[in-house]
Amino acid sequence: MIKLIAALLGATALLVAGPAYAEGTARAKGKIAAAAPAASSDQIAFATGCAIGGMVGHAAINVSAADANTATFGVAADCLMVITGSKLAIGVMGDVVVPGSDLKSLGTNPPDYSWFVGFRGGLLVSDSFLVYALAGRTDWDGADKGMTYGLGAETLITKHISIKGEVRRVDMGDADATELRLGANWRF
């Protein structure tokens, strides 16, 4: 897991440094690229800012050889920074999720909720469509803690409303889960 996070951070650093290096090389050769036109206030485009939203999903959970499948419901928040002069975006994110059914089949202490806090980094495929990788820490009821990593995509449908989908893997050591999520956010 640590190698995966290190690789994601290294790749993000290279992607961030690339445009600056290219601009410096162009300046040295006397070739300055024309600046991109400023976005109009009516244009639907990701910009640096924060969002709150809700999500629904499905989790396949395995704890000590006991399996359970459940719907999930939650609330989320994130802050995203679009790196000027590039198609890169980085941010922090967090959520609280509750299972949609009783998980007693998982044993004597099934999780009643989970929370996640982490980072995401991605590429703007267009002004209004972002693909990203995420990594962070998940806590189930304060008892089990572990790493979460995954992939997602988010698209703006208006200037302030976005929808997203994610697939996540949660690794708690003796417990793990695979989650599929759909969500909607209000961006401000």
Short mmCIF file of all heavy atoms in Angstrom, two decimals, residues 6 10 23 34 38 41 63 77 79 83 94 97 99 106-108 111-112 116 118 123-124 167 170 172-173 177 179 185:
data_model
loop_
_atom_site.label_atom_id
_atom_site.label_comp_id
_atom_site.label_asym_id
_atom_site.label_seq_id
_atom_site.Cartn_x
_atom_site.Cartn_y
_atom_site.Cartn_z
N ALA A 6 3.18 6.04 -2.62
CA ALA A 6 4.42 6.71 -3.06
C ALA A 6 4.44 6.87 -4.58
O ALA A 6 4.84 7.90 -5.10
CB ALA A 6 5.64 5.93 -2.58
N GLY A 10 4.54 10.38 -6.50
CA GLY A 10 5.63 10.63 -7.44
C GLY A 10 5.13 10.99 -8.82
O GLY A 10 5.62 11.93 -9.45
N GLU A 23 7.58 25.22 -19.86
CA GLU A 23 7.50 26.67 -19.98
C GLU A 23 8.88 27.30 -19.83
O GLU A 23 9.25 28.20 -20.56
CB GLU A 23 6.55 27.23 -18.92
CG GLU A 23 6.40 28.74 -19.02
CD GLU A 23 5.43 29.29 -17.98
OE1 GLU A 23 4.61 28.52 -17.46
OE2 GLU A 23 5.53 30.49 -17.72
N ALA A 34 1.35 31.26 -26.18
CA ALA A 34 0.26 32.19 -25.91
C ALA A 34 -0.57 31.66 -24.75
O ALA A 34 -0.80 30.46 -24.64
CB ALA A 34 -0.61 32.37 -27.14
N ALA A 38 -9.19 33.24 -20.99
CA ALA A 38 -9.84 33.08 -19.70
C ALA A 38 -11.23 32.50 -19.90
O ALA A 38 -11.91 32.81 -20.87
CB ALA A 38 -9.95 34.43 -19.00
N SER A 41 -17.60 33.36 -17.22
CA SER A 41 -18.27 33.01 -15.97
C SER A 41 -19.41 32.03 -16.20
O SER A 41 -19.89 31.42 -15.26
CB SER A 41 -18.76 34.27 -15.26
OG SER A 41 -19.69 34.93 -16.09
N VAL A 63 -15.15 -10.25 6.61
CA VAL A 63 -14.51 -10.17 7.91
C VAL A 63 -14.28 -11.58 8.41
O VAL A 63 -15.25 -12.32 8.63
CB VAL A 63 -15.36 -9.38 8.93
CG1 VAL A 63 -14.70 -9.36 10.30
CG2 VAL A 63 -15.61 -7.98 8.43
N ALA A 77 -17.61 15.36 1.57
CA ALA A 77 -17.12 16.72 1.31
C ALA A 77 -15.75 16.61 0.68
O ALA A 77 -15.02 15.65 0.93
CB ALA A 77 -17.04 17.51 2.61
N CYS A 79 -12.43 19.23 -1.21
CA CYS A 79 -11.88 20.48 -1.74
C CYS A 79 -10.91 20.10 -2.84
O CYS A 79 -10.10 19.19 -2.67
CB CYS A 79 -11.18 21.29 -0.66
SG CYS A 79 -12.33 22.01 0.52
N ILE A 83 -4.69 22.86 -10.93
CA ILE A 83 -3.37 23.46 -11.04
C ILE A 83 -3.33 24.34 -12.29
O ILE A 83 -3.55 23.86 -13.41
CB ILE A 83 -2.28 22.38 -11.06
CG1 ILE A 83 -2.35 21.60 -9.74
CG2 ILE A 83 -0.90 22.99 -11.28
CD1 ILE A 83 -1.50 20.37 -9.69
N GLY A 94 -13.37 13.61 2.25
CA GLY A 94 -13.79 12.84 3.42
C GLY A 94 -15.24 12.47 3.30
O GLY A 94 -16.00 13.10 2.58
N VAL A 97 -20.21 7.03 6.05
CA VAL A 97 -21.11 6.10 5.36
C VAL A 97 -21.73 5.14 6.37
O VAL A 97 -21.07 4.71 7.32
CB VAL A 97 -20.33 5.30 4.29
CG1 VAL A 97 -21.19 4.25 3.64
CG2 VAL A 97 -19.75 6.24 3.25
N PRO A 99 -24.15 1.44 6.58
CA PRO A 99 -24.67 0.34 5.78
C PRO A 99 -26.19 0.39 5.75
O PRO A 99 -26.83 0.86 6.68
CB PRO A 99 -24.17 -0.91 6.50
CG PRO A 99 -23.95 -0.47 7.91
CD PRO A 99 -23.58 0.99 7.85
N LEU A 106 -21.55 -10.74 9.99
CA LEU A 106 -20.10 -10.53 10.04
C LEU A 106 -19.52 -10.83 11.41
O LEU A 106 -18.31 -10.77 11.60
CB LEU A 106 -19.75 -9.10 9.65
CG LEU A 106 -20.06 -8.72 8.21
CD1 LEU A 106 -19.72 -7.26 7.97
CD2 LEU A 106 -19.27 -9.59 7.26
N GLY A 107 -20.33 -11.15 12.39
CA GLY A 107 -19.81 -11.49 13.72
C GLY A 107 -20.44 -10.65 14.80
O GLY A 107 -21.48 -10.02 14.61
N THR A 108 -19.78 -10.64 15.94
CA THR A 108 -20.35 -9.99 17.12
C THR A 108 -20.24 -8.47 17.10
O THR A 108 -20.96 -7.81 17.81
CB THR A 108 -19.65 -10.52 18.39
OG1 THR A 108 -18.24 -10.24 18.27
CG2 THR A 108 -19.88 -12.00 18.57
N PRO A 111 -19.64 -3.39 11.70
CA PRO A 111 -19.57 -1.92 11.64
C PRO A 111 -20.96 -1.30 11.44
O PRO A 111 -21.74 -1.77 10.64
CB PRO A 111 -18.68 -1.66 10.43
CG PRO A 111 -18.80 -2.89 9.58
CD PRO A 111 -19.03 -4.02 10.53
N ASP A 112 -21.25 -0.25 12.23
CA ASP A 112 -22.49 0.51 12.08
C ASP A 112 -22.29 1.71 11.16
O ASP A 112 -23.24 2.27 10.65
CB ASP A 112 -22.99 1.01 13.43
CG ASP A 112 -23.47 -0.13 14.31
OD1 ASP A 112 -24.04 -1.10 13.77
OD2 ASP A 112 -23.25 -0.06 15.53
N PHE A 116 -14.00 8.11 6.21
CA PHE A 116 -12.82 8.09 5.35
C PHE A 116 -12.28 9.51 5.25
O PHE A 116 -13.05 10.47 5.17
CB PHE A 116 -13.21 7.59 3.95
CG PHE A 116 -12.19 7.89 2.87
CD1 PHE A 116 -11.09 7.06 2.70
CD2 PHE A 116 -12.32 8.99 2.06
CE1 PHE A 116 -10.15 7.34 1.72
CE2 PHE A 116 -11.39 9.28 1.07
CZ PHE A 116 -10.29 8.44 0.91
N GLY A 118 -8.94 11.36 3.04
CA GLY A 118 -7.85 11.06 2.13
C GLY A 118 -7.61 12.13 1.10
O GLY A 118 -8.09 13.26 1.21
N LEU A 123 -6.79 13.93 -13.54
CA LEU A 123 -6.57 14.57 -14.82
C LEU A 123 -7.91 15.06 -15.36
O LEU A 123 -8.88 14.30 -15.40
CB LEU A 123 -5.94 13.57 -15.79
CG LEU A 123 -5.68 14.05 -17.20
CD1 LEU A 123 -4.59 15.12 -17.20
CD2 LEU A 123 -5.26 12.88 -18.07
N LEU A 124 -7.95 16.33 -15.77
CA LEU A 124 -9.15 16.87 -16.42
C LEU A 124 -9.14 16.43 -17.88
O LEU A 124 -8.34 16.91 -18.67
CB LEU A 124 -9.18 18.39 -16.32
CG LEU A 124 -9.46 18.94 -14.93
CD1 LEU A 124 -9.09 20.40 -14.84
CD2 LEU A 124 -10.91 18.73 -14.57
N VAL A 167 -14.93 3.35 -7.51
CA VAL A 167 -14.72 2.00 -7.01
C VAL A 167 -13.58 2.11 -6.01
O VAL A 167 -12.57 2.76 -6.27
CB VAL A 167 -14.43 0.98 -8.15
CG1 VAL A 167 -13.17 1.35 -8.92
CG2 VAL A 167 -14.34 -0.43 -7.60
N VAL A 170 -11.03 -1.29 0.43
CA VAL A 170 -10.70 -0.99 1.81
C VAL A 170 -9.99 -2.21 2.39
O VAL A 170 -10.52 -3.32 2.33
CB VAL A 170 -11.98 -0.69 2.64
CG1 VAL A 170 -11.62 -0.34 4.08
CG2 VAL A 170 -12.79 0.43 2.00
N MET A 172 -8.43 -3.62 5.87
CA MET A 172 -8.30 -3.46 7.31
C MET A 172 -7.43 -4.54 7.94
O MET A 172 -7.45 -4.72 9.15
CB MET A 172 -9.69 -3.52 7.96
CG MET A 172 -10.64 -2.50 7.47
SD MET A 172 -10.28 -0.93 8.23
CE MET A 172 -11.70 0.00 7.74
N GLY A 173 -6.73 -5.32 7.16
CA GLY A 173 -5.95 -6.43 7.70
C GLY A 173 -6.79 -7.69 7.72
O GLY A 173 -6.80 -8.46 6.77
N ALA A 177 -13.13 -4.74 2.15
CA ALA A 177 -14.38 -4.45 1.45
C ALA A 177 -14.07 -3.88 0.08
O ALA A 177 -13.04 -3.24 -0.13
CB ALA A 177 -15.22 -3.45 2.24
N GLU A 179 -16.10 -1.46 -2.64
CA GLU A 179 -17.26 -0.59 -2.70
C GLU A 179 -17.43 0.02 -4.08
O GLU A 179 -16.45 0.41 -4.71
CB GLU A 179 -17.12 0.57 -1.70
CG GLU A 179 -17.05 0.16 -0.27
CD GLU A 179 -16.88 1.37 0.62
OE1 GLU A 179 -17.90 2.00 0.96
OE2 GLU A 179 -15.73 1.69 0.96
N ASN A 185 -22.81 16.12 -5.97
CA ASN A 185 -22.20 17.17 -5.14
C ASN A 185 -22.72 18.53 -5.53
O ASN A 185 -23.05 18.79 -6.69
CB ASN A 185 -20.67 17.20 -5.34
CG ASN A 185 -19.98 16.04 -4.68
OD1 ASN A 185 -20.46 15.48 -3.72
ND2 ASN A 185 -18.83 15.68 -5.20
#
